[in-house]
Amino acid sequence: RSLLEPGTKMDESSLAVTAAEFKRKRTSFQRFVAYFLHPFGFCLDVPALQARIAVLTTKVRGLIQLEYDASKVFVSFETEAAQRKVLAYLSLPKLAVMRNEVEALALKRFAFRNGEKVLEVAEPEEPNTV
């Protein structure tokens, strides 16, 4: 069963107002459920769900401020010819990649991070396996 009426606005401020109205109208039983079951994630109502959304939104906003190292990057090309050209310029033997031999590249400008890192490039897998 839906907790909100169809057409209810789902932006943060509207949800906060709706949650406050629900919380104010809780019966004694609903307050009991909120006190004892909500901490365990059971029988969540609109105020409890809105509070979880607010906490998770805050966490996400904090996490996006941090920098993360990428472990894999997928690149798509308009044509297979362009893909082949890039693979030809960037492909190196595994040992050269492991040793980060920038000078093994055709041009130093093809190295990553201002010419400091050699990337391992490979023929992509079939689209249905990605």
Side-chain angles (χ1 to χ4, degrees):
R1 166 187 101 139
S2 178
L3 296 174
L4 298 173
E5 296 290 324
T8 303
K9 290 184 180 180
M10 300 297 283
D11 61 273
E12 286 182 56
S13 58
S14 296
L15 275 179
V17 170
T18 304
E21 290 170 355
F22 267 80
K23 192 171 185 176
R24 187 174 35 149
K25 295 177 184 176
R26 279 182 181 160
T27 64
S28 297
F29 179 72
Q30 288 172 329
R31 284 193 293 273
F32 174 84
V33 167
Y35 187 78
F36 289 105
L37 297 180
H38 288 181
F40 301 105
F42 295 113
C43 303
L44 300 176
D45 59 358
V46 173
L49 292 171
Q50 189 273 335
R52 287 179 104 184
I53 290 171
V55 168
L56 292 173
T57 301
T58 302
K59 284 183 181 180
V60 169
R61 286 184 178 148
L63 290 172
I64 62 174
Q65 300 301 317
L66 303 175
E67 288 189 21
Y68 297 94
D69 293 332
S71 60
K72 288 188 176 184
V73 176
F74 294 92
V75 180
S76 61
F77 296 92
E78 288 287 327
T79 64
E80 191 169 334
Q83 176 186 336
R84 297 273 171 231
K85 187 174 182 180
V86 168
L87 285 172
Y89 280 123
L90 297 181
S91 293
L92 294 176
K94 289 259 189 216
L95 191 58
V97 173
M98 289 172 52
R99 291 181 179 170
N100 195 40
E101 295 177 5
V102 176
E103 54 280 349
L105 290 168
L107 293 172
K108 186 177 177 177
R109 67 185 174 108
F110 293 149
F112 188 60
R113 299 251 188 237
N114 298 321
E116 297 175 9
K117 300 280 184 193
V118 173
L119 298 179
E120 180 179 0
V121 296
E123 183 77 28
E125 296 179 22
E126 291 300 314
N128 59 352
T129 61
V130 175

